[in-house]
Structures are given as structure tokens and as C-alpha cells.
Amino acid sequence: MHNPPETPQALHLLYEPAGFICAFRFDDGRATSLKWHEVLAHKVASPAFSWLHVKTADVKVRHWMETSDDIPEHIAEFLLSSDTHPCLHTTANGAYGTLADLKMEIGDTGTEKGALHFFLDGNRLLTLRTQPLCSTNMLRQKVLDGALFDNPMELFAELLRCLADGFDARVASLNDKVDDIEESVLSDRRPEDRAELSAIRRQLAELRRHITPERRLLNQLNRLRPAWVPTAALEELNHALDELNELHLTLEALYERAKLLQEEIASQMSEQMNRNLMALSILTALLMPATLVSGIFGMNVAGLPGLHDEASFTMVMWVMMGLGVATVGLLKWLKIW
């Protein structure tokens, strides 16, 4: 007896779009992986909740977002947009926005910063990205390792911790470079220190432009204390924000260190230039009497003394040396040299 051929609808359910990254259902804190057809077929009711992580570039994912009854049209339009500026919007029973994150791989744009769109309510966390990001990859690994989460806000708070950990690792790497440059500046400065420090300051300034607005927006969410979020979850969010605030302070301190080191390098370069100018001025002063004498005896005019005396050249050289010694004595007396 032959099995009946699979219908197009069955193939449609079995097919997972390339933009589908992962999905989990959380029951009593424990996560269970979901397939794409399970995401489409099952609606998770409280106290259970879900996390869906997808790519925005996939056509099938975009179609599902645009036609889903669970996501308001204006929110779906925002989540599928290409806006990369950190922002946060709240609704009566949820929140959505954009977070700046570090890419796992630097693409053709040459920048290491990426954007993560999210939608959060009492039953789900939905995250969307265009390129692989550090925070969601770390969060997915923690979920697969068995981490427990009781509600979407706790999961979102852990996402913020992963976000802070990614930025913290980047800041720590830059801090090591600044330490090396500082040691070089205080000992024997390398020629490439100035260019390297300028590049570090640019990276730190870019990190500040992303972390500072995120802190402000998320602190605003914490102050609102939405009614649909459990109190314990708000405490978790507060702890995650504390990590972001500490990261901000570390970043500001490192930026100031880099700024002071750059000023120190500029001061050293100015001091070196002044020493070079001093040496050049002293050399000019030493040669000035000799130049004057040689200029006088180089004049091609009648009546120049010593033209027919063989000892004239020796006498002129002794005069030039004597004037040089006298110049050195004058500079020493004036404490210029």
C-alpha cells in the first residue's frame, strides 16, 4: 500500500524559512524548542510564553509579520523597517523598539554595530535582526544550556545583560590597548601611538553614541513600571540596567584616559619640536659670526686686506673660531645653552 503524497499545505508547514533562527516555548521557566510550523499553529497563553528570533530579510518571515493577527500593523511595520537608531515605544500591554548591538562578523559596511528590533508583551519576546548579533547569540546559548526564565521581561533583562557583556568585552579590549599606549607614552613613545590612540577614541565615541541613548530609554521603561510586568521581573530589569550604567561609567573613564593620553602625546611632540627649534637656533647662533666674517671676506671689492698675504687665511680661520667660542660663552652666560 502506497503512502499518499504530501499535500502542498503539508510541505508548506514542514518548510522552515531561511530567516527563522530559533523559537522557544517556556513552561515553568524551562524552554522547549519550537519548529516554524509550531510557531504558526500554536498560540502561547499565560503563564507560558515564547521567544521567537528571526531575520528581517526573509520574504516568508516578512509575510508572516505583515499578516499576523497577534502583532498590530504599525508595530509590524516598525519591526520590519531598516531604522538603526536606538528607540523605545510603549503600549498599554507591551513595548517595542531598537537596540544597538555588536555584530558577530563585520560585513561590507565596515562597521561592527548592528541593530536589533524587539517586541515584548506579557506572552512573548520577538527579536529581529539583519546580521548575526552577539547578544541574541549569547542569549540563545544560555537558553539551550538550561537557563530558567519565568516571564518575557526576565528574558528581556537577560538579553540586556548579554548586550552589556558584549560591549564590556569590546571596552575591555580597548582598555588593554590604552594600557599599552600609556606604558609606551610614559617610557619610550612609539611613532604609531598617536594614530592608534585616535582610532581608539573614534571607537569609544561610537560606543558612547550607542550605549548612552539605550541607557536613557531603558531607564525610562524601568521608571514607568508597566502593570503587565511582574514586580520580580522589574527587579531583574533594574539589575540589568545597573550593568549598563556601570558599563557607561567605565566607557566614560576610558574615553577620558584616551583623551588625556592624546593630550600628553601632543605635549611631548610640542616639547620635542621646541627642543629641535632650540638646537637649530643655537646652531644658527654659533655659525652666525663665522658667516659674517666669510661674507665680508667674500666680497669682490678693491682694498680687501690679506689678498696677497699667505697667512691671511689662517688668521681669518682663527678669528672665526674665536668668535664661535665667544658665542658659546655668551650663550652659557645668558643660560640659553
Side-chain angles (χ1 to χ4, degrees):
M1 183 176 179
H2 296 287
N3 294 326
E6 293 182 332
T7 64
Q9 179 65 22
L11 290 174
H12 174 77
L13 292 175
L14 292 175
Y15 165 68
E16 290 190 351
F20 174 63
I21 302 172
C22 66
F24 298 95
R25 175 190 173 97
F26 294 83
D27 294 283
D28 297 327
R30 298 187 178 276
T32 304
S33 296
L34 298 177
K35 301 295 185 180
W36 177 250
H37 68 274
E38 294 176 313
V39 173
L40 298 179
H42 296 87
K43 292 185 178 180
V44 181
S46 183
F49 67 96
S50 64
W51 173 34
L52 175 61
H53 185 42
V54 294
K55 300 177 185 177
T56 56
D58 188 270
V59 175
K60 191 169 185 180
V61 170
R62 297 181 70 91
H63 176 72
W64 171 76
M65 290 282 297
E66 293 168 349
T67 58
S68 175
D69 296 332
D70 296 335
I71 304 174
E73 182 179 352
H74 69 283
I75 297 179
E77 182 179 355
F78 171 84
L79 295 176
L80 295 174
S81 69
S82 58
D83 187 16
T84 60
H85 298 288
C87 62
L88 175 69
H89 306 279
T90 58
T91 63
N93 55 2
Y96 63 97
T98 305
L99 297 174
D101 193 9
L102 293 176
K103 297 178 183 177
M104 294 181 62
E105 299 177 358
I106 300 178
D108 297 335
T109 58
T111 178
E112 57 181 349
K113 310 302 180 301
L116 177 68
H117 298 283
F118 70 91
F119 173 54
L120 173 71
D121 61 15
N123 294 323
R124 82 174 79 189
L125 172 63
L126 173 61
T127 53
L128 304 93
R129 52 87 165 166
T130 55
Q131 292 181 302
L133 302 175
C134 293
S135 63
T136 48
N137 184 66
M138 293 170 63
L139 181 61
R140 178 174 59 171
Q141 190 59 51
K142 288 185 177 183
V143 172
L144 292 174
D145 290 342
L148 302 178
F149 302 98
D150 293 329
N151 52 71
M153 182 57 79
E154 286 190 8
L155 184 65
F156 182 69
E158 189 62 32
L159 174 64
L160 296 181
R161 290 193 186 95
C162 294
L163 184 75
D165 289 343
F167 279 111
D168 187 63
R170 186 74 186 103
V171 172
S173 174
L174 294 175
N175 185 71
D176 291 340
K177 293 181 179 180
V178 171
D179 288 341
D180 293 339
I181 295 175
E182 184 175 31
E183 183 178 356
S184 171
V185 169
L186 297 178
S187 56
D188 185 15
R189 188 171 60 83
R190 299 168 301 181
E192 63 271 16
D193 285 343
R194 187 183 184 189
E196 187 176 357
L197 193 57
S198 296
I200 290 175
R201 282 194 65 187
R202 285 195 297 271
Q203 295 179 61
L204 291 173
E206 188 175 359
L207 288 174
R208 282 204 312 178
R209 286 196 298 270
H210 288 83
I211 293 176
T212 299
E214 285 186 359
R215 285 177 55 253
R216 184 177 65 254
L217 294 170
L218 294 171
N219 279 317
Q220 177 184 353
L221 176 62
N222 188 40
R223 287 193 300 270
L224 291 174
R225 305 186 72 83
W228 53 272
V229 180
T231 304
L234 287 175
E235 292 299 323
E236 292 295 326
L237 175 62
N238 190 51
H239 294 328
L241 292 177
D242 287 341
E243 293 189 19
L244 280 175
N245 290 332
E246 291 178 6
L247 175 62
H248 172 73
L249 294 176
T250 302
L251 182 60
E252 289 293 331
L254 184 58
Y255 184 84
E256 288 301 317
R257 278 186 62 200
K259 182 179 178 181
L260 291 175
L261 277 176
Q262 202 165 36
E263 292 175 356
E264 177 65 21
I265 290 177
S267 176
Q268 289 184 359
M269 293 180 64
S270 177
E271 184 179 351
Q272 181 65 39
M273 184 178 297
N274 289 336
R275 285 198 297 265
N276 293 339
L277 290 175
M278 176 63 73
L280 183 61
S281 300
I282 291 174
L283 182 61
T284 302
L286 290 175
L287 295 177
M288 185 171 60
T291 303
L292 178 61
V293 173
S294 63
I296 293 173
F297 281 89
M299 293 186 297
N300 188 17
V301 295
L304 190 66
L307 292 178
H308 304 290
D309 189 351
E310 296 181 357
S312 297
F313 176 76
T314 304
M315 294 176 61
V316 170
M317 294 301 295
W318 277 109
V319 169
M320 293 171 64
M321 290 178 61
L323 291 174
V325 171
T327 303
V328 171
L330 179 62
L331 293 177
K332 290 288 187 180
W333 182 70
L334 294 175
K335 297 182 180 180
I336 296 178
W337 187 19

